[in-house]
Amino acid sequence: MAEQKTIGHNPTFAKEAMRRWDELKAFRANSERDWQDIAALIRPQRSGMGRSDIGGQRKFEKALSSEPIMAAVDMSAGLYAAITNPASNWVGLQSSDSEFNKWKPMADWIEVSTKRVMASLSPSNSTFYSATFQGYSDIAAFGQFAGYDEIDLVERRFIDQTLSLSEVVVDIDGHNRVCEAVRKFFLKPRAAVRMFKKSGDVVSAKLIDMAEKGANDDIAFFHHVCLNDGYSAGALGPRGKRYLSVYATELEQSTIRVAGFDEMPFYYPRWDVDGGQIYATGPGHVALPSARVNQQMDAATIRAAQKAADPTMLAPDRRAMPLEGRVRPGEVLYGGMSVRGQPLVGALNNVGNLNLTIDEKREKVQAMKNAFYYSLMTLHNRTGITSEEVQIIEEAKLRSWAPHADRIMEEYAARKVERRFRQLWRAGQIPPPPKEAQGLPLSVRYQSAATRALKAREGIAVRQFINDLGGLAQLSSSGTRAGDRFDEDAAIEALHDASPTLPQSMLRSREEADARGQSRAEQQQQMMQQQQMMEAAKAGGGLAKDLAQAQAAGGVQ
């Protein structure tokens, strides 16, 4: 069991959880200002960012443009397909000895273990993939996302969650790794009693009384996980766990549960973060200035269109405009024209030139799409694209965000797989490895985005190299002056050296090529000799047949 708990503990745990929440929440105040704007304009599902103290209430902003929202969604889908695609074997296990991994008993054990880990992430056992896509949507917009997992022993399922950033605050250690997390969330009394009694925790009498009376108050709860300073390997209870876990509530500042985890259950992958900084920036921060201007432009366009459709009217006095100053379509406006035919009522022309605003809006929309790698993440409205062009686009996409994707894999996906393997191992769901592997360290294997970008470029280079070789062969055998001066070996080596992505293993040495050429020439000579012998035998057989026929006819004595 990954978590062990104790009951009847010191209430100071609750005060410490609330104190750390207040400290870490104040530290990220500057980041939350941008998060609120990003949520309003780019990820409206997270509107209300920074309002965690208002319970479950959220203020939904009404963005005027869907362009930044769609660009962020396309990027999220691209990350999902490239990093943790359920249709591909995106991760595996391996030991530190690459040759030992190929040994059949070890290879079989790695395959079985990997399949069981991947099965634990499947929708039948977990919400990993749906929660992960939600996390990628957050990281595309805010530059980070918060995740959490644990085992539900009652329902026998893994619980994988992506939490709102407004609910979670974190801290880092000296190596810029997240080492502490505090989550503040709200529950109704009845839901809280159901949740904690299900786990066997002792709930306060006041909370139980509120639940029995059907109270509808939002009660604040805290989940504080940090390194266990009192850790003692092999000890029973929370002292034997590397991470201390505390559930507490603001109601009477009471502690509900003190427990522990062997691994950090919170995940906080980040897009681009400087050393020593806790919170990161992401594509949403790059797109935010253009999104703000685009929002103002849309508002100005709507106001101008409204003024054009329903302009301000000018009249000399109230009598010229009946019905409270309103002009209705199809009606006669008495007194709106003088006896000389001059109009006494007119519209105020202050619409202005909308073309400039529309042109600038297109530029801002394109800037937002570029921030989310839109041109690389989608192939919409592109027809007649060759397979080579698709490969080039894929390489450009991987190369553009490879460093960020590798950080996501390191801080989220690889950690998730490692923790899931340990959970299954402790539950006896992973078979023991071969005895020769005892004590050998095991690690998570994955192919990084940078490696895939290099492979994509390598494939394009190999294809182009092969096409070039066909032209070289034709020139060398053309029988022209250019062919006589052409050094085929030198040209092949020059082409290979000009493309650093071509693998060295695909080009044989001149000596090996000469030996293969000589062997091929000898084989051809032998085939020619055999062909000549067969033709001679065939000719001799025909002559003998003719002589035999002549003798039978008595024409030859």
Side-chain angles (χ1 to χ4, degrees), residues 527-538:
M527 291 177 64
M528 291 178 61
Q529 290 175 354
Q530 292 175 0
Q531 185 69 22
Q532 291 173 358
M533 292 174 64
M534 290 176 64
E535 290 178 355
K538 183 177 181 181

Side-chain angles (χ1 to χ4, degrees), residues 282-356:
H285 291 82
V286 179
L288 182 58
S290 297
R292 285 168 172 160
V293 175
N294 182 69
Q295 176 83 350
Q296 297 298 324
M297 286 182 175
D298 277 338
T301 302
I302 292 172
R303 288 196 302 270
Q306 185 177 8
K307 287 182 178 180
D310 189 12
T312 301
M313 305 300 294
L314 303 176
D317 53 47
R318 289 181 177 273
R319 289 175 297 177
M321 296 287 290
L323 299 177
E324 300 295 332
R326 296 179 182 274
V327 179
R328 298 172 184 254
E331 291 190 349
V332 178
L333 180 63
Y334 295 100
M337 181 177 293
S338 68
V339 294
R340 298 180 180 180
Q342 296 177 342
L344 300 178
V345 177
L348 177 64
N349 184 14
N350 62 347
V351 175
N353 185 7
L354 292 179
N355 293 328
L356 178 61

Side-chain angles (χ1 to χ4, degrees), residues 476-488:
S476 180
S477 60
S478 63
T480 62
R481 176 68 174 171
D484 294 338
R485 295 201 59 192
F486 184 71
D487 187 340
E488 192 171 357

Side-chain angles (χ1 to χ4, degrees), residues 2 25 46 73 119 123 152 172 205 340 369 383 400 470 474 488 496 501:
K25 185 80 163 50
R46 295 300 194 191
V73 169
D152 188 334
I172 58 175
R340 298 180 180 180
K369 289 184 175 181
T383 59
S400 297
Q474 292 178 2
E488 192 171 357
H496 185 276
T501 56

Side-chain angles (χ1 to χ4, degrees), residues 96-113:
S96 56
D97 190 338
S98 59
E99 293 298 325
F100 186 65
N101 293 335
K102 300 176 183 178
W103 182 50
K104 191 176 187 313
M106 185 62 180
D108 292 342
W109 180 82
I110 290 177
E111 182 180 3
V112 170
S113 301

